[in-house]
Amino acid sequence: VEFLYCDLASMKSIRQFVQQFRAKNCPLHVLVNNAGVMLVPERKTEDGFEEHFGLNYLGHFLLTNLLLDTLKQSGTHSDNARIITVSSATHYVGKLHLNDLQSRCSYSPHGAYAQSKLALVLFTYRLQHLLTANGSHVTANVVDPGVVNTELYKHVFWVVKVVKWMTAWLFFKTPEEGASTTIYAAVSPEVEGAGGCYLYNEERTKSADVAYDEELQKRLWTESCKMVGISDEASRLP
């Protein structure tokens, strides 16, 4: 096991990480996009992005795109490289505001968090479409880990913290249980070659209807490329 530092809230850090990783000339068979914040007060990343959108979504968008060539070189017909992105059931109530992705007009911690998680699902579906169109031996799936007892809830209202403390043993998954579907998506032969899936409790599940809107997927992808400063070659594909 080797550790390389990467701050998903910093575009500079992400680019430095990718440069360091590429210098090792290692294959990349599995990429798990799992960083995130939840219900944080209104604040920005060092690049000026609203933190939920910048860290939860744009950081992973840039990281994945910068590593795509390595993933494509590492996958084979019988053993695809895999991209697993961790979203949340919160995406079901999320709304994507393409004209205000930074939540500048009206900030709501819940709304910003839900939007970032919906964006991850839209991104995964669009990414899989592009990978298929290019004949790449890489699959992209999105995972809902469920309600897991972690420190992610440190910004919730104190009453919720008390309820969580009292009931976590009954209603919340342990971190190990919460990781099970991500691990399943990363290594199980049952999903070999299968991409564009929304997985919950190690089963394929239907995501929010809006997540299947291909035009919305394309528009988010194009706007995301502009925001992180990468070429939108995908805009020329169907």
Side-chain angles (χ1 to χ4, degrees), residues 52-72:
H52 289 99
F53 197 77
L55 194 163
N56 295 4
Y57 170 66
L58 285 178
H60 292 117
F61 179 86
L62 178 61
L63 178 68
T64 302
N65 272 281
L66 294 181
L67 291 172
L68 266 183
D69 285 344
T70 307
L71 284 157
K72 291 176 181 178

Side-chain angles (χ1 to χ4, degrees), residues 88-104:
S88 162
T90 311
H91 92 275
Y92 286 104
V93 297
K95 294 182 179 179
L96 194 77
H97 302 284
L98 276 171
N99 295 324
D100 187 27
L101 291 172
Q102 303 300 319
S103 303
R104 293 191 177 104

Side-chain angles (χ1 to χ4, degrees), residues 30-37 52 55-57 60-61 64 83-91 113-124 140-148 150 152 175 178-186 197-200:
V30 179
L31 171 65
V32 178
N33 293 319
N34 188 47
V37 293
H52 289 99
L55 194 163
N56 295 4
Y57 170 66
H60 292 117
F61 179 86
T64 302
I83 301 168
I84 298 95
T85 298
V86 180
S87 181
S88 162
T90 311
H91 92 275
Y113 176 69
Q115 176 179 245
S116 71
K117 291 301 181 178
L118 174 59
L120 289 169
V121 183
L122 288 159
F123 156 66
T124 299
N141 290 304
V142 61
V143 165
D144 175 0
V147 183
V148 188
T150 68
L152 196 62
S180 65
T181 302
T182 298
I183 296 170
Y184 170 81
C197 302
Y198 185 85
L199 301 170
Y200 175 66

Side-chain angles (χ1 to χ4, degrees), residues 5-140:
Y5 179 80
C6 181
D7 180 357
L8 268 293
S10 165
M11 302 294 116
K12 179 181 178 181
S13 178
I14 293 168
R15 293 180 183 277
Q16 289 176 339
F17 164 80
V18 172
Q19 187 176 27
Q20 291 175 337
F21 180 80
R22 283 179 172 170
K24 294 180 176 296
N25 292 316
C26 294
L28 179 57
H29 299 107
V30 179
L31 171 65
V32 178
N33 293 319
N34 188 47
V37 293
M38 184 176 77
L39 308 183
V40 296
E42 185 173 10
R43 59 195 188 196
K44 297 180 180 180
T45 67
E46 67 176 45
D47 301 289
F49 300 124
E50 185 277 315
E51 190 168 5
H52 289 99
F53 197 77
L55 194 163
N56 295 4
Y57 170 66
L58 285 178
H60 292 117
F61 179 86
L62 178 61
L63 178 68
T64 302
N65 272 281
L66 294 181
L67 291 172
L68 266 183
D69 285 344
T70 307
L71 284 157
K72 291 176 181 178
Q73 293 165 10
S74 304
T76 65
H77 177 72
S78 60
D79 190 10
N80 284 199
R82 304 184 187 191
I83 301 168
I84 298 95
T85 298
V86 180
S87 181
S88 162
T90 311
H91 92 275
Y92 286 104
V93 297
K95 294 182 179 179
L96 194 77
H97 302 284
L98 276 171
N99 295 324
D100 187 27
L101 291 172
Q102 303 300 319
S103 303
R104 293 191 177 104
C105 295
S106 177
Y107 182 78
S108 159
H110 294 83
Y113 176 69
Q115 176 179 245
S116 71
K117 291 301 181 178
L118 174 59
L120 289 169
V121 183
L122 288 159
F123 156 66
T124 299
Y125 291 167
R126 180 58 180 166
L127 176 59
Q128 182 58 54
H129 174 83
L130 298 173
L131 290 168
T132 301
N134 285 315
S136 303
H137 298 309
V138 184
T139 58

Side-chain angles (χ1 to χ4, degrees), residues 126 130 218 221-222 225 231-238:
R126 180 58 180 166
L130 298 173
K218 291 180 185 179
W221 185 282
T222 297
C225 287
S231 173
D232 182 16
E233 297 180 359
S235 63
R236 295 190 289 273
L237 294 172

